[in-house]
Amino acid sequence: MNSAAVYPPLNVPAANMFGNVPGYEAGSAVYPPLNVPAANMFGNVPGYEAGSGGYLPPPMPVEPVTPPQRGSVPDSWSIPSLSEDVAREAFKNFVSSQCCYSSSPANEGVITKMEPYNTFRYRLETFTESRSTEWTHKPHEGEMADFNTQTAPLPWEIKATPPNLFTNHKQELRIPFTSSVKDCHTCVATGKVPCDGCKGSGHKSCSMCNGSGKKNEEHCTQCDATGKQKCTMCNAQGMKECQTCKGKQRLLTFIQLKVEWTNHVEDFMVEQNSGLKADELHSANGKELLKISQYLASPLFEFPNPTIAEASERLIKEHQSNHGQTSRILQQRQTVELIPITKVNYSWKGASHVYVVYGNNNHVSAENYPATCCCVIL
């Protein structure tokens, strides 16, 4: 190595100190400045000029992809109407759970009209796998260096263990034949670095006398009038174990493959005019009408509600366009729920009022409840 070489700033290794790995010249990610290798320090790897440690596009399928097929749809889309007894009981349960609501409207109110506002919720899930590479290092613990002993496999050639479908998961793997052993750049292969607490002196200013050696015009008993105390962070040694190499003095450097499985979920709700708030509607559970899993989803053209059919077609195109460029689509799943919503009109003390019963569990929304009080907690 040329002794006259110009080195980068403190604690950053020199460029190209880790050598070249065929097939991974763009594995040099951009790292934070402190105590971390600088960009381009690991050399070039043929075939990865545009990778720069970022996400790598998946290879084209070996065989032509079969076009998505039309999904089947069930014959029945209905939900039984809500009865007055069920609506009244749901209202009573709701009122009893509110500390400031009188039970009189729920017990004495007379239902005058019930209007169904059932709506559909469409959900598209796109389960993808993405891969990225970056150079990294760890303390050397006796591992064998295999750098360039064979041609390193390409990122998408390496086997990874996937999770269950539609489950988010991450996995990090060491790329074979990219490992080498280098001196630690942080401690210059000593295994120790100056203590931050005492700046390497082994002592700190006495906290009792602020370093003066005196307290109330008398000798400080805590530091024996020296004005200094032993640094507890380094046990007065002035040096601490290097956190980069954990005292091992050397590092194993290698290209790391990051594999990420992600379930991209997007919902679409058919508009309804029941007066129910968006957050209440979003949290409502409904009757599952269909759930279809395919490699590439097919729009629900035969769905009886045209709004759902249009949303299905639009979201599928968006997902396949947005997620199919930098990741591999493994599976798509479509779900349609029918959410029961009933608007209940009732009269109490000569005035008309409204509440809404929604979801399979008959949740209730009742704005402007006619009999509330102010609760004061002392």
Side-chain angles (χ1 to χ4, degrees):
M1 183 173 182
N2 188 351
S3 60
V6 177
Y7 288 86
L10 181 63
N11 294 333
V12 181
N16 298 321
M17 67 175 283
F18 293 89
N20 297 322
V21 181
Y24 284 85
E25 71 270 47
S28 52
V30 177
Y31 291 82
L34 185 61
N35 292 338
V36 185
N40 298 322
M41 63 174 287
F42 299 94
N44 295 322
V45 181
Y48 286 83
E49 293 83 354
S52 299
Y55 287 100
L56 303 168
M60 295 296 293
V62 178
E63 299 179 359
V65 176
T66 304
Q69 304 298 316
R70 287 178 175 266
S72 60
V73 294
D75 298 328
S76 175
W77 308 99
S78 62
I79 287 181
S81 299
L82 193 71
S83 68
E84 287 192 12
D85 289 341
V86 173
R88 187 178 293 106
E89 188 64 26
F91 194 30
K92 291 180 180 179
N93 291 336
F94 166 75
V95 171
S96 66
S97 67
Q98 309 298 314
C99 66
C100 299
Y101 283 22
S102 168
S103 61
S104 297
N107 293 328
E108 301 169 4
V110 178
I111 294 178
T112 58
K113 186 179 181 181
M114 296 178 63
E115 304 171 90
Y117 284 87
N118 299 339
T119 190
F120 296 104
R121 176 167 54 213
Y122 170 81
R123 172 171 293 171
L124 175 63
E125 299 171 84
T126 299
F127 185 56
T128 64
E129 176 186 350
S130 60
R131 298 193 174 199
S132 63
T133 59
E134 66 176 5
W135 280 99
T136 189
H137 54 75
K138 63 176 290 294
H140 182 231
E141 298 175 304
E143 300 94 337
M144 292 294 295
D146 60 4
F147 181 85
N148 249 1
T149 57
Q150 294 187 38
T151 301
L154 297 177
W156 286 95
E157 296 175 345
I158 297 173
K159 291 184 179 181
T161 305
N164 294 331
L165 287 174
F166 308 106
T167 303
N168 293 336
H169 185 62
K170 294 181 181 180
Q171 187 175 5
E172 295 182 347
L173 301 169
R174 188 187 308 169
I175 301 287
F177 314 119
T178 65
S179 301
S180 59
V181 179
K182 306 292 181 182
D183 288 345
C184 179
H185 53 275
T186 301
C187 63
V188 197
T190 63
K192 296 181 179 182
V193 294
C195 175
D196 294 333
C198 63
K199 308 302 181 185
S201 68
H203 295 84
K204 299 173 66 176
S205 178
C206 177
S207 59
M208 181 69 74
C209 64
N210 294 322
S212 67
K214 293 184 178 183
K215 182 71 173 179
N216 297 327
E217 301 301 326
E218 296 181 1
H219 289 311
C220 178
T221 57
Q222 182 162 309
C223 64
D224 198 21
T226 63
K228 296 180 179 181
Q229 290 179 299
K230 289 183 177 181
C231 178
T232 57
M233 294 181 65
C234 63
N235 196 27
Q237 298 300 308
M239 304 291 285
K240 294 177 61 178
E241 181 181 270
C242 174
Q243 292 303 299
T244 301
C245 67
K246 302 298 182 183
K248 302 294 184 180
Q249 303 180 4
R250 310 200 79 194
L251 300 172
L252 183 74
T253 67
F254 54 92
I255 296 179
Q256 181 170 264
L257 172 66
K258 293 185 177 181
V259 187
E260 185 171 359
W261 292 270
T262 306
N263 190 32
H264 307 273
V265 183
E266 194 164 354
D267 288 350
F268 172 81
M269 191 78 69
V270 177
E271 292 186 7
Q272 45 76 45
N273 300 311
S274 66
L276 203 61
K277 293 181 180 179
D279 58 341
E280 294 173 323
L281 190 57
H282 180 76
S283 63
N285 55 0
K287 174 186 177 182
E288 187 175 284
L289 300 178
L290 63 84
K291 179 178 284 186
I292 303 173
S293 295
Q294 297 170 295
Y295 163 55
L296 292 178
S298 169
L300 302 177
F301 292 122
E302 298 178 2
F303 197 87
N305 186 297
T307 306
I308 288 292
E310 293 170 2
S312 171
E313 182 179 24
R314 174 178 58 82
L315 291 179
I316 287 173
K317 287 181 179 179
E318 291 178 0
H319 274 221
Q320 292 179 1
S321 174
N322 295 339
H323 306 305
Q325 302 301 315
T326 59
S327 59
R328 173 186 288 169
I329 296 178
L330 302 179
Q331 194 85 187
Q332 288 187 297
R333 180 166 65 189
Q334 300 179 89
T335 306
V336 178
E337 291 177 281
L338 179 56
I339 301 177
I341 302 175
T342 302
K343 186 176 183 178
V344 182
N345 298 267
Y346 70 100
S347 63
W348 182 68
K349 291 188 175 181
S352 296
H353 306 280
V354 173
Y355 65 90
V356 179
V357 183
Y358 63 97
N360 285 346
N361 295 331
N362 294 329
H363 294 296
V364 171
S365 174
E367 288 192 22
N368 302 318
Y369 188 74
T372 63
C373 63
C374 295
C375 296
V376 178
I377 300 177
L378 298 178

